[in-house]
Amino acid sequence: MPVVDLRSDTVTKPTPEMRQAMFEAEVGDDGYGEDPTVNALEALAAEMMGKEAGLFVTSGSQGNATAMMVHVGKGDEVICEASAHIYGVETGAMAALSGAQPHPVPGVHGKLTPELIEPHVRSRKSNRPRTALIEVENTHNFAGGTYYTPAELAAIRQFADRHSLPIHMDGARIFNAAVAQNVNVRELAQYADSIQFCLSKGLAAPVGSLVVGTKDFIQQARRYRNMLGGSMRQAGVIAAAGIVALKTMVQRLCEDHLHARMLAEAANGTRLKVDMAAVQTNIVMVDVSPLGMTAVQMVEKLLQHGIKVNPISRDSFRLVTHKDLSRGDIEYAIGVLKKLG
Ligand SMILES: *Cc1c(COP(=O)(O)O)cnc(C)c1O
């Protein structure tokens, strides 16, 4: 029986080319800014995103945390989508580390609009938290990998400018958003002041994320990265894999998207329910309630057939496609879904 791991794209292993690049990486002490491979990765990331500077961080959570520490402080409030990663699954880091509180706003397919945000911008009365930042997630993890279009982001940018609010984009999977729409990632990045994106998900690098923004922003973020213990010395060994990820692993994401669509259509052909409008990239949310069981029960049954998935709520589980799944794995998973659904 094959084991098909659809829990997350974080399970991806580094490619042979990454291993080779790691082996050969030139390194130095990044605490002194002397690791040439880290410097090359940060420059490449900034260039690809159309920003002035980049910062290599240990994880997406550390990237978001450092960005929050630069953007906001005590008494501030961050408008984010109600099921945002930064709000629900980063151990309360925003409040704990920056001192700001999240202000969650339910979106549509995980997406905010100026109309949805507007009523939540606080008046400037002295007893109100200060609305200080808009945070958007692109693609949106718990909404099932949905993406913002450039036009949707442009509208939020216009609104933010009217209210003098910066925008942070949690772009953990921003390349999925770009590839799915066949646009250059800069088309999406241009609307945010700062962006965090992950190397260790669909791009298959073993470790790391980047934060990009202005030179001044990144200089401050670097200080906070230090504060969080994120200064990593000869980190070129892992940055080397990140460079390979950015250079070779982006375009192939379309294969993951095709696989997600195949799984979604198959599940939808059973009693399982999938909101097909939300299937836009490499994540599929599956509703098990028509089967009269809970997600946890279904996850257990799938596991008995070698299929690993994560329950997300009482009624739903999540399928995430990635580069370590072959067409054969997907076809096997489809067979199991058809049998159990
Ligand atoms: C995975 C993820 C993160 C955090 O990344 P880690 O490297 O796991 O800390 C942040 N935001 C979103 C949307 C994610 O999916």
Side-chain angles (χ1 to χ4, degrees), residues 110-130:
K111 293 190 287 184
L112 299 173
T113 61
E115 294 68 34
L116 290 171
I117 298 168
E118 177 112 60
H120 299 276
V121 176
R122 303 278 189 183
S123 72
R124 306 232 165 173
K125 287 190 183 155
S126 63
N127 62 352
R128 303 295 152 87
R130 185 182 72 108

Side-chain angles (χ1 to χ4, degrees), residues 78-84 87 102-120 135 140 143 148:
V78 175
I79 291 179
C80 62
E81 205 279 326
S83 54
Y87 176 49
H103 183 128
V105 175
V108 177
H109 281 145
K111 293 190 287 184
L112 299 173
T113 61
E115 294 68 34
L116 290 171
I117 298 168
E118 177 112 60
H120 299 276
E135 192 263 357
H140 195 297
Y148 281 93

